[in-house]
Amino acid sequence: MPDRTARTPSTLPIYPIRDHVVFPGMVFPLYVRGESMPVVEEALKSDRRIGLVTCFAMTEPGRFEDLASMGTVCRVNQVFRFPEGGCKVVVEGIQRIRLIAPVQRAPFMVAMIMPLEETHAAGLISDALVQSVTSLLKIALSYGRPLPGDVLKMIDQVDDPGRLADLVAVYLSLDMKKQQELLEITDPLERLKEVYSHLTQEVQKLQVRGQVHNEVARKVGKTQKEYILREQLKEIQDELGEDNPRQSESGEIKARIARSGMPENVRRIAEKELARLERINQASPEYTVSRTYLEYLCNVPWKKGTEDNLDICLAQNVLDEDHYDLSKIKERILEYLAVRSLKKSSKGPILCFVGPPGVGKTSLGKSIARAMRRKFIRISLGGMKDEAEIRGHRRTYIGSLPGRIIQEICRVESNNPVFMLDEVDKIGQDFRGDPASALLEVLDPEQNFSFTDHYLDLPFDLSRVMFITTANILDPIPHALKDRMEIIHLSGYTDEEKIQIAFKYLIPKQLKENGLDDYPTRFDEEAVAAIIKDFTREAGVRNLERRIAAICRKVAREVSQGDSHRHTIGRAEVEFLLGPRMFFSDVAAEEDRVGVVTGLAWTEAGGDIIFVEASRMSGKKQLQITGSLGEVMQESVKAALTFVRANAATFGIDPDFYDNSDIHIHVPSGAIPKDGPSAGITIAAALISLLTGKAARRDVAMTGELTLSGRILPIGGVKEKVLSARRAGVKTILLPGRNREHLKEIDEHVLKELKIIPVEDMLDVIDRILIDEGGETGRSRDIYPAHEPAPANPG
């Protein structure tokens, strides 16, 4: 029983405590670190009294504002000092206190307190509550609730409700918040009632736990009984000479192991696992895990594959039947077949098709498999975040399975399929692992001959598999993974190529799918050209196919309603069936404006044109940039402005134009993110047009990275940008001189329709784009066709 005769002082050193709540009458050890020793020394000087108050904030040191409003004054009984600093203090709770105000905050906390005296509540209600709590404690003990023996004896001797409530509260399974609420109840009877409520809930939980334990024990006993009966049934079947179902299942698995053609090291593992399976009880979960593992080992095509078609001419015809053009990819496949015809053990190539949507990357994989007479597998990696999707789960987990690589190879029953990993640039990553890193082994010819799936835990040879990955852009692909693949770029199609694709593939396909085989419908070339120009704006042919399908559906409706259907689809029918045109691509018809310049951009969907707008207003040398521009493009804006300011006199601009002005650069379509350095000359041209007051030609598009010295550096995506300019009606393109060699990738008829001017510095650009008062540009210049070499420094 704590000594309450000594008077509690009005101020006390306060020690914040964070791991539990201290009640009066509680004796416990308190471990104090070296930096908190001053508060213990002060307590030893102050009649060995210290205030312990709950602190709910975890920051050090504790603040007065973070302390609970009530705590407990304790007496320091013993102090054991440690050589390395700090000590262990044995304290005993004496009395509740209420914190009034801080007196001192450093180096330790001292607070003004108010002791809370507690009256002894006697009566029938008090006695009944004390007896009820004591009885509940004994019931809890009978259900296995641990409680020290000396505490139980002490409880039997306590008749004061407040003292009993504090004593029992220490041993209740309550969180700190509820313990603090009990400490702050000053009325003894109310506090004991709250303790009785918590103790009742705990006893109920113990009763439910006991019932669950009994039920589990009963089921375990039932399982043991079933095991004994099965063993007896086995003995009876042996005596009667009947087949044991389990033995026949083991015999079937053993026969499958013999037929599977698995390597010797795998066979030893399988036979060892089969012997283990025969010893496992069928009711055990381990039996199912072991049996499933053996089935996968037998299903894996260790030595089973398809025979390649090595007839190169036949393969060429199959590829041409399915896809128009794509000569680079077709040539690469035929090269592989030629090597296979000379060397049977050559490794499968690992290709990566990169290009905008709708150019035929995925369907090309099916065509390659058909040309080589191999099985085809396709899995989409878009959004995949779990490494186990590639490498499988370990067999320690219930329901674990191999990764998708092994699963799909087992499904097609061939160890040399064409395996397409679609959307490799859209792989995710989270706490479950990085699938892109797991692909490093799969797509490495020097490692994948011994690919080890976590589930099989045995090496499998993937070197005979032809892996093909597809992506729209290369930037998100990790460098290590990109390095393992042979990159083949698929650019967008020209309008002429789209027309050929439409007549050879898309129109026959849609006529068949919409039931028009028996109702011949012919598309005019002019109609298809109108669909391409007025209703689609893409590098591929996906939307073109959708528009053709829409026309076929409308014709099918006319046929089903008994109307006379259209036998020929011309330009007028296209406009009637598809409605008003969706795209207006004649940029040349737009008005030439000051401060507005046409640029070229590369996107995931191919190429596109952009307009860079510049505006000037009175201000204080501020530069505003809008249009969802990325960091690189924002840096291009700053570099362009610096170049214009440094060379203002060269272009006839007031050198002090920026002193009392603000400049605003905007790229329309603000909801679409834009980035990259290739808009540098476009931004500089817009600024020079704005500051000189000369309009820029709308029908001239440009692309190129600008340096501070005015040089124009080469850029990427030349073919896509040129094709997008052609689609938009642009007739003249300004291109960095170093990109002249890239024009060889573009068809000759496309180049004949365009004026492509190589430029080396910003002066060349300005001479070509700004219109003087007479309506002419600064000077004329020779045009260098793609097939003719230009001088080292033209113009």
Side-chain angles (χ1 to χ4, degrees), residues 196-212:
Y196 177 78
S197 173
H198 289 301
L199 188 58
T200 301
Q201 294 177 9
E202 192 163 328
V203 169
Q204 290 174 349
K205 293 177 183 177
L206 289 170
Q207 288 175 339
V208 173
R209 190 183 304 167
Q211 292 172 0
V212 171

Side-chain angles (χ1 to χ4, degrees), residues 168-184:
V168 176
V170 175
Y171 297 98
L172 287 176
S173 302
L174 299 177
D175 56 35
M176 286 183 60
K177 185 178 179 182
K178 291 184 178 178
Q179 285 185 342
Q180 183 64 32
E181 290 174 357
L182 283 176
L183 180 68
E184 294 180 1

Side-chain angles (χ1 to χ4, degrees), residues 428-489:
Q429 179 180 352
D430 66 2
F431 65 93
R432 290 169 292 185
D434 182 6
S437 298
L439 283 174
L440 293 178
E441 180 184 5
V442 176
L443 300 181
D444 190 342
E446 302 301 323
Q447 298 181 40
N448 64 8
F449 67 90
S450 61
F451 170 71
T452 302
D453 186 274
H454 285 160
Y455 181 81
L456 295 183
D457 203 22
L458 290 166
F460 180 78
D461 186 5
L462 293 177
S463 63
R464 300 187 63 197
V465 178
M466 174 183 276
F467 284 103
I468 299 175
T469 64
T470 69
N472 294 128
I473 52 177
L474 286 174
D475 295 344
I477 304 176
H479 177 74
L481 183 59
K482 197 188 308 179
D483 185 59
R484 284 162 165 78
M485 301 184 293
E486 181 180 342
I487 309 297
I488 299 178
H489 291 274

Side-chain angles (χ1 to χ4, degrees), residues 1-15 24 30 37-53 72-79 89-97 108-111 113 115-117:
M1 190 75 179
D3 180 15
R4 301 177 187 272
T5 59
R7 183 175 177 274
T8 302
S10 60
T11 60
L12 275 179
I14 302 298
Y15 183 79
L30 181 66
M37 283 299 295
V39 70
V40 177
E41 301 293 349
E42 180 66 22
L44 294 175
K45 296 176 185 177
S46 305
D47 198 20
R48 290 181 170 264
R49 302 298 174 94
I50 187 172
L52 298 185
V53 185
T72 304
V73 60
C74 299
R75 183 176 61 237
V76 178
N77 289 341
Q78 289 178 304
V79 178
V89 182
V90 179
V91 296
E92 179 182 5
I94 297 176
Q95 186 180 12
R96 283 174 171 79
I97 57 172
F108 55 86
M109 198 180 303
V110 178
I113 57 123
L116 300 175
E117 300 294 338

